[in-house]
Amino acid sequence: MAMTASSRREGLARWWQLRSRSERAVLGLGAAMLTLALAWLFIWQPLLLDTERLTRQLAADRVTLSDARRQADAIAGLARGAPAIVAGDPRAALDSVLVQQGLKSAATSIENSDNDRIRLTFDRMGFDALTALLEALQRAAQLRAVEVVATARVEPGQVRADITLAR
């Protein structure tokens, strides 16, 4: 025999009516305590755990934000300090730097190649002079070395250098 919902309700109401006043109070108190315990377990505890987790995450996110701001400031500083692009003839800029470095007569070959590249050859130069030349070309003429072949010579500190430069 299947019980319908209304017959179950009637049976529960009859059962409740058969209980004494003190039994009803104890059952009501027990139901209230069970409700509070379930609310604490399934609502309050997860809220506390989420609050602690979010507090830790907030601290980590603040550190990340601070790092990102610091890096953005560094990038902005680099952008402000970037040298302006020099318009004009790269060959003239190269000649100017070679004269400043005292290497104009040491260059055995200066050729313009394709794609606005300049090929420069030194039969003999000091390695220190080569590094100083490359730095001066980058700084003053904004010509960068895209290929450098430095071959050691018999004399200590001396190299044969083939350099390809571009803007």
Side-chain angles (χ1 to χ4, degrees):
M1 292 188 143
M3 291 182 76
T4 63
S6 63
S7 65
R8 272 189 241 148
R9 251 184 271 131
E10 288 172 9
L12 185 59
R14 219 173 312 124
W15 177 83
W16 186 257
Q17 293 299 324
L18 292 174
R19 303 291 154 235
S20 69
R21 186 172 205 168
S22 61
E23 286 179 327
R24 286 184 208 167
V26 169
L27 287 172
L29 184 61
M33 289 180 64
L34 180 64
T35 303
L36 287 175
L38 290 174
W40 179 80
L41 182 64
F42 291 110
I43 296 172
W44 188 252
Q45 280 299 68
L47 285 174
L48 287 178
L49 294 175
D50 283 347
T51 302
E52 291 172 6
R53 180 185 55 82
L54 289 173
T55 302
R56 288 189 307 269
Q57 185 176 354
L58 179 63
D61 288 347
R62 284 184 176 152
V63 169
T64 303
L65 178 62
S66 173
D67 288 344
R69 285 182 177 157
R70 186 178 37 76
Q71 289 175 357
D73 291 344
I75 290 170
L78 290 174
R80 284 189 300 272
I85 296 176
V86 177
D89 185 26
R91 177 69 185 259
L94 171 66
D95 289 339
S96 171
V97 170
L98 287 174
V99 168
Q100 288 173 357
Q101 296 287 318
L103 296 172
K104 180 74 174 164
S105 61
T108 55
S109 165
I110 301 174
E111 308 169 352
N112 287 339
S113 63
D114 61 334
N115 299 332
D116 296 326
R117 293 184 178 208
I118 301 172
R119 186 168 167 84
L120 182 61
T121 304
F122 294 93
D123 276 339
R124 176 187 312 229
M125 75 182 306
F127 187 76
D128 293 341
L130 173 64
T131 57
L133 172 66
L134 292 175
E135 192 275 328
L137 286 170
Q138 176 70 35
R139 184 178 24 84
Q142 294 180 348
L143 290 169
R144 61 183 170 82
V146 292
E147 181 181 354
V148 176
V149 177
T151 308
R153 297 189 51 92
V154 175
E155 301 89 8
Q158 295 292 309
V159 294
R160 179 184 193 287
D162 293 309
I163 306 167
T164 303
L165 303 167
R167 284 228 171 164

